[in-house]
Amino acid sequence: MIDFDPSSFGLAHTYQKEDKDEINTLALPSAPQVIYKSLNGPTQINGGNKLNNFKHGTTTLGFVFKEGILLAVDSRASMGSFLSSEQVRKVIEINEYLLGTMAGGAADCQYWLAYLANHCRTYELKNGSKLSVAAASKFLQGILIGYRNSGLSMGCMIAGTDTTGQHLYYIDNDGMRLKGDIFSVGSGSTYAYGVLDNHYKYEMSLNEAVELGIRAIYHATHRDTASGGVVRVYHIHQNGWTKVHDGIDVVDLHYQFAQQKGLVGDGDEAKQRLF
Amino acid sequence: MDSIFGLQGGDFVIVACDGSIAHSILKIKETEDKILKLDDHKIFGISGEGADRNSFGELVHKNHSLIRYKTGAYMNLKETAHFVRSMYAQAIRSRDGPHQCNGLLGGVDSDGTPSLYWLDYLGSLQKITRGAQGYANYFLLGLLDNQYKPNLTKEEGIEIIKKCIKELQTRFLIAQNKFIVKIVTKQGIEAFTL
């Protein structure tokens, strides 16, 4: 850093290195100061901690295929047995080349993904090039490690495109970051995995991938009470992301898929006779 | 639930790990590489919950590189093992507690001598010729003790590792399908999945 003293002309002198700048060891990234820690300790499994009793009712999924990455999510938010919304946006548009999915606490996901968006933009301005997906997801992981025992609840996927291609990362509130090809997060994820694992092929075309994403979310919403609403589908490719479907009602999908099999969709496939 | 196990032979060291990451009843990933490459002749297999394994691994890797840049010299295996042990030990009574992960550090020095070290989360360090971390201990130590002999060749070492994997797949309750195996010799590191 060059320091100019405008009152005198002379050779510019470089910034004096102070002893305290010398790096002795590299430490774990320091978390932003945690001023308020949750009063009742870390979240317990069955919602023992009332302050952080978030419901993880959701199904989100993402997978990598030859044309990029497909993200598909449901849109239901439930508070216990009360449906608070059927139109939640669970894919968060971080910037034109990065998307994040939301599972767990909505506030946590929205806030920290917005924080990440801020960081990405600052980096881009300071360094003249975009932050890679690996670096962006690592930054988020560093934050979540710092807040590990504070009761954050997030199970998000970061998906995006950079100069090395399209990448998908799974990050959760324990500070785990995994790179992978197929992820599904939320209470309905097990049902979605069943459909995904069965039909997934890397060589799928975009239409096949969109169909698979929609079907997997539909099946999860059918069996999981905490997932439902509409299906939203995003596609990430080398030029950024596109919103493929903004909201397809899963109830309509139910009857459509039933019809394709020659069924009516009233749930009476076993043809139960009452007498 | 991670299985990490390893073996030291006449002129090589093998460290193998299972590839699965689990979250409650789900197996989120099957191909996770839990063996960190510290440099061209050292590997460090880490067993522990996701975040600790990841973050401690990064800490070791970056500080190991920092020492090289500061001093201009590469540490040998013994120095690295003691260095990693001191990182574990410093954390034991720290604010965040011990790093919740165990490890197997293996490699070959520039003169060709292989060594394998067993490290645990409280800072225990032991130089061994064969060993494992986690539940794999229960299933594999008997087999490793039985099959080990001094100055194993690389092919014999790989055969023993294959027997270990078969044993885990037969007897361990948790299905572990994919294993990642890394072998360090004087020529460098070879990695493959089994």
Side-chain angles (χ1 to χ4, degrees):
Chain A
M1 208 172 90
I2 303 179
D3 205 27
F4 289 110
D5 180 0
S7 67
S8 70
F9 290 97
L11 286 171
H13 56 271
T14 50
Y15 179 65
Q16 284 299 329
K17 187 175 86 68
E18 292 165 6
D19 273 353
K20 70 174 173 24
D21 287 341
E22 187 170 314
I23 305 170
N24 288 316
T25 45
L26 294 163
L28 283 170
S30 57
Q33 273 299 320
V34 180
I35 300 161
Y36 171 77
K37 276 181 108 77
S38 75
L39 295 176
N40 301 348
T43 327
Q44 284 148 32
I45 295 173
N46 285 320
N49 180 350
K50 290 291 179 288
L51 273 177
N52 301 325
N53 190 7
F54 299 117
K55 294 295 174 188
H56 305 252
T58 191
T59 313
T60 60
L61 63 89
F63 56 87
V64 180
F65 67 112
K66 81 166 192 286
E67 308 228 13
I69 300 181
L70 198 92
L71 293 179
V73 300
D74 77 315
S75 66
R76 175 172 290 184
S78 46
M79 282 152 58
S81 50
F82 174 67
L83 288 193
S84 39
S85 172
E86 293 271 72
Q87 286 150 25
V88 178
R89 292 196 176 273
K90 296 186 187 178
V91 173
I92 292 162
E93 298 161 7
I94 299 171
N95 57 35
E96 335 75 66
Y97 61 94
L98 270 183
L99 289 175
T101 61
M102 180 195 332
D108 291 331
C109 291
Q110 284 173 357
Y111 180 82
W112 288 112
L113 290 175
Y115 190 88
L116 176 62
N118 180 321
H119 178 81
C120 288
R121 181 63 183 148
T122 315
Y123 180 93
E124 199 179 323
L125 289 170
K126 276 189 183 168
N127 295 280
S129 66
K130 295 180 164 54
L131 202 57
S132 64
V133 188
S137 56
K138 187 155 225 132
F139 177 74
L140 186 63
Q141 180 194 28
I143 296 172
L144 295 183
I145 288 180
Y147 281 101
R148 226 174 350 175
N149 293 325
S150 310
L152 284 183
S153 167
M154 287 170 70
C156 58
M157 291 187 276
I158 303 284
T161 183
D162 57 32
T163 51
T164 55
Q166 289 79 55
H167 305 289
L168 178 65
Y169 287 86
Y170 163 77
I171 299 180
D172 75 12
N173 52 272
D174 296 322
M176 171 132 78
R177 167 178 169 267
L178 292 172
K179 185 174 200 307
D181 288 339
I182 309 181
F183 287 117
S184 177
V185 186
S187 53
S189 61
T190 45
Y191 308 111
Y193 269 124
V195 179
L196 267 180
D197 289 333
N198 203 10
H199 296 294
Y200 171 82
K201 280 192 256 301
Y202 182 82
E203 296 76 25
M204 284 189 288
S205 67
L206 177 58
N207 285 335
E208 288 171 327
V210 170
E211 168 93 26
L212 178 58
I214 293 174
R215 273 193 194 260
I217 295 284
Y218 155 70
H219 283 291
T221 57
H222 185 58
R223 286 294 183 177
D224 177 31
T225 50
S227 302
V230 300
V231 186
R232 301 195 210 272
V233 182
Y234 286 71
H235 174 221
I236 296 175
H237 44 81
Q238 66 192 35
N239 297 325
W241 54 261
T242 332
K243 194 187 296 188
V244 180
H245 287 291
D246 195 23
I248 310 176
D249 195 329
V250 296
V251 176
D252 294 338
L253 283 173
H254 172 79
Y255 292 107
Q256 186 189 318
F257 291 146
Q259 215 180 24
Q260 281 172 8
K261 291 187 189 168
L263 298 168
V264 173
D266 59 359
D268 194 21
E269 288 120 30
K271 300 280 182 281
Q272 232 185 34
R273 294 181 59 114
L274 294 174
F275 56 87
Chain B
M1 297 293 172
D2 305 325
S3 302
I4 311 270
F5 48 100
L7 188 55
Q8 177 218 306
D11 57 354
F12 69 92
V13 170
I14 303 186
V15 177
C17 72
D18 75 300
S20 37
I21 304 264
H23 189 81
S24 97
I25 54 170
L26 268 174
K27 197 166 27 172
I28 310 182
K29 194 171 176 191
E30 224 180 9
T31 52
E32 176 77 352
D33 185 359
K34 299 173 188 167
I35 306 176
L36 202 55
K37 177 184 148 180
L38 292 181
D39 67 27
D40 288 330
H41 297 281
K42 293 195 202 82
I43 53 179
F44 184 34
I46 317 179
S47 134
E49 288 304 305
D52 294 285
R53 179 175 53 79
N54 234 311
S55 74
F56 184 68
E58 294 278 307
L59 202 56
V60 167
H61 186 273
K62 304 318 175 205
N63 278 300
H64 175 265
S65 301
L66 182 63
I67 289 178
R68 177 167 84 75
Y69 295 130
K70 279 178 72 169
T71 61
Y74 288 90
M75 287 195 283
N76 65 22
L77 246 303
K78 182 169 169 194
E79 289 158 358
T80 312
H82 279 86
F83 172 69
V84 178
R85 188 213 72 85
S86 73
M87 300 205 75
Y88 273 121
Q90 264 172 358
I92 324 176
R93 293 201 177 93
S94 67
R95 187 176 70 119
D96 293 322
H99 296 291
Q100 298 287 352
C101 53
N102 303 314
L104 275 180
L105 175 70
V108 175
D109 286 323
S110 48
D111 60 358
T113 6
S115 34
L116 182 64
Y117 289 87
W118 189 97
L119 288 136
D120 100 341
Y121 75 110
L122 291 173
S124 315
L125 169 69
Q126 185 65 49
K127 186 171 189 307
I128 53 171
T129 49
R130 66 235 180 235
Q133 291 283 9
Y135 285 110
N137 272 305
Y138 295 102
F139 300 101
L140 299 179
L141 284 181
L143 180 59
L144 282 168
D145 287 340
N146 178 254
Q147 296 286 318
Y148 176 81
K149 57 183 205 288
N151 298 320
L152 286 164
T153 65
K154 200 170 87 163
E155 290 67 35
E156 287 171 331
I158 296 178
E159 280 313 303
I160 298 178
I161 295 292
K162 284 187 179 162
K163 288 181 186 162
C164 290
I165 292 175
K166 188 143 179 285
E167 175 62 15
L168 281 175
Q169 287 172 337
T170 314
R171 290 295 178 185
F172 193 8
L173 183 62
I174 296 176
Q176 296 176 322
N177 299 322
K178 292 213 170 50
F179 285 81
I180 294 173
V181 180
K182 292 196 178 171
I183 309 180
V184 191
T185 57
K186 198 158 179 214
Q187 284 73 41
I189 304 179
E190 276 168 56
F192 48 92
T193 46
L194 277 176

